[in-house]
Amino acid sequence: MEFVYLGFWASVAIYLIYKIFRCIRIIPAQDVLIVERLGKYSRSLRAGFHILIPFIDRDAYYHTLKEQSIDVQPQICITHDNVQVKVDGVIYLKIIDPVRASYGIEDFQFAAIQLAQTTMRSVIGTMELDKTIGEKDLINSTIVAAIDQASEPWGIKVNRYEILNIVPPKSVLDAMEKEKKAQIAKRSQVLLSEGERDARINRSLGFKEEAVNKSEGEKQRRINSAEGKATEIEALAVATAKGIEAIAGAISDQGGASAIKLQITKAFIQNFLHVAKESTEILIPADVMNLPTLIANLTEAKKPKT
């Protein structure tokens, strides 16, 4: 009996020591402890050393004021063009009012996740697949605005929402891959055709410039040739005129007529011998034997008129 009595009081003493020990609270920085007294909200304990009243005060809720990241599990969303995509993301939020976070809603994290998923389905339902993949920032900002507006009574602040993955069905991925390959092939063909076109234009411009240069060169050559021939003809004419003038002067001098006769006779004989070859048939004028008379006539024709 005495042993049982001692055991009871020992148990009571241990329980009291435990309760007194539990009344001591050391709160780390960026943490908050919500204390209730007799079932009602009493106060919020911030960082530091605190003591609760045993059997009267109770630590009801414990919150961290640091920014929290909450995973949003993948869910199926249907786009405006009736394509099912699997979307997941992350919510970044922070408690700004621990009291409202404790008493304003049962579980603010679960509520934020549900609201994010609902908003995500609504936003993606208004977009086609191509726009959905390319407009992640628009979807993120829309979800943040919706959650932030609904979570004001919860005492939390949603800083941002990030979509991690948007995964279409495998058949859609295969079709998108084929379309991308076709676009790349088309772009390659366009670039090749443009390169070939530029090359042909460059070659034609080169041929054109070459033809122009050749024509200019031929023109200049003909001009130079014509000028050379004109100069040559002019020089021959001047030389011929000078020669005729010299011959005329020589004829008018003393003994000039005899020299002319001698030259004409010599030229006549040489030409006659040249024509009268063995294989050549010639017709001799009737007065060929009257050579002195012929030469005299030629000489008279050579004399200048006074």
Side-chain angles (χ1 to χ4, degrees):
M1 187 68 179
E2 188 173 323
F3 178 76
V4 176
Y5 181 76
L6 290 175
F8 171 76
W9 284 109
S11 299
V12 171
I14 293 173
Y15 177 73
L16 292 175
I17 292 171
Y18 171 75
K19 292 297 291 183
I20 293 172
F21 178 77
R22 286 287 300 166
C23 291
I24 299 174
R25 292 290 187 271
I26 299 176
I27 309 300
Q30 293 297 313
D31 287 351
V32 177
L33 180 64
I34 303 299
V35 178
E36 292 180 352
R37 178 169 294 175
L38 299 178
K40 295 175 61 177
Y41 169 73
S42 174
R43 62 191 183 276
S44 300
L45 302 181
R46 303 276 176 164
F49 178 82
H50 304 277
I51 297 178
L52 305 180
I53 301 175
F55 305 103
I56 297 177
D57 293 339
R58 183 177 73 90
D59 48 349
Y61 299 97
Y62 191 89
H63 299 293
T64 178
L65 301 181
K66 300 176 183 178
E67 187 175 30
Q68 305 176 43
S69 60
I70 304 173
D71 291 333
V72 179
Q73 295 300 318
Q75 63 170 339
I76 300 298
C77 301
I78 301 177
T79 62
H80 185 68
D81 49 354
N82 295 323
V83 178
Q84 293 185 354
V85 293
K86 184 180 292 185
V87 187
D88 59 351
V90 180
I91 302 175
Y92 296 89
L93 54 82
K94 185 177 181 180
I95 297 176
I96 57 176
D97 190 341
V99 178
R100 286 192 293 175
S102 300
Y103 300 101
I105 191 170
E106 180 68 25
D107 188 347
F108 66 85
Q109 292 186 354
F110 177 78
I113 291 173
Q114 295 300 313
L115 185 57
Q117 291 180 334
T118 303
T119 307
M120 188 186 305
R121 287 194 295 268
S122 300
V123 174
I124 292 179
T126 62
M127 298 181 177
E128 295 184 354
L129 178 61
D130 295 339
K131 189 176 180 181
T132 300
I133 297 175
E135 297 290 343
K136 286 186 178 181
D137 293 338
L138 177 61
I139 299 174
N140 293 337
S141 59
T142 304
I143 294 175
V144 169
I147 300 177
D148 197 38
Q149 182 180 2
S151 63
E152 184 178 358
W154 306 343
I156 63 173
K157 172 68 176 177
V158 178
N159 294 328
R160 60 190 183 280
Y161 179 87
E162 296 292 340
I163 293 178
L164 296 181
N165 298 294
I166 298 179
V167 183
K170 188 177 184 302
S171 59
V172 176
L173 289 176
D174 294 339
M176 292 174 65
E177 184 177 0
K178 291 180 180 179
E179 181 181 1
K180 189 65 176 179
K181 289 182 178 179
Q183 291 177 355
I184 294 174
K186 178 182 177 181
R187 190 181 303 114
S188 176
Q189 292 178 357
V190 170
L191 292 177
L192 288 175
S193 63
E194 290 179 351
E196 182 64 23
R197 180 195 63 188
D198 294 341
R200 289 182 178 180
I201 291 174
N202 292 334
R203 286 196 294 268
S204 65
L205 291 176
F207 292 151
K208 177 182 177 181
E209 293 180 0
E210 182 181 2
V212 170
N213 292 335
K214 286 183 177 180
S215 64
E216 292 291 337
E218 182 65 19
K219 175 183 176 182
Q220 191 63 40
R221 186 189 67 78
R222 291 184 179 182
I223 291 174
N224 295 337
S225 177
E227 290 178 351
K229 288 182 179 179
T231 303
E232 181 182 0
I233 292 172
E234 182 180 1
L236 289 175
V238 171
T240 302
K242 289 182 179 180
I244 294 173
E245 184 180 358
I247 293 172
I251 292 174
S252 61
D253 292 340
Q254 185 177 3
S258 298
I260 289 299
K261 290 179 180 180
L262 180 61
Q263 291 293 329
I264 291 174
T265 303
K266 182 179 179 181
F268 179 80
I269 294 172
Q270 288 178 350
N271 290 332
F272 183 79
L273 293 176
H274 180 71
V275 171
K277 293 181 179 179
E278 184 176 353
S279 61
T280 304
E281 294 181 359
I282 59 174
L283 296 177
I284 301 175
D287 57 349
V288 67
M289 299 305 295
N290 193 10
L291 185 59
T293 304
L294 180 61
I295 293 173
N297 292 332
L298 291 174
T299 306
E300 291 296 330
K302 294 291 183 177
K303 289 184 180 180
K305 294 180 181 181
T306 57

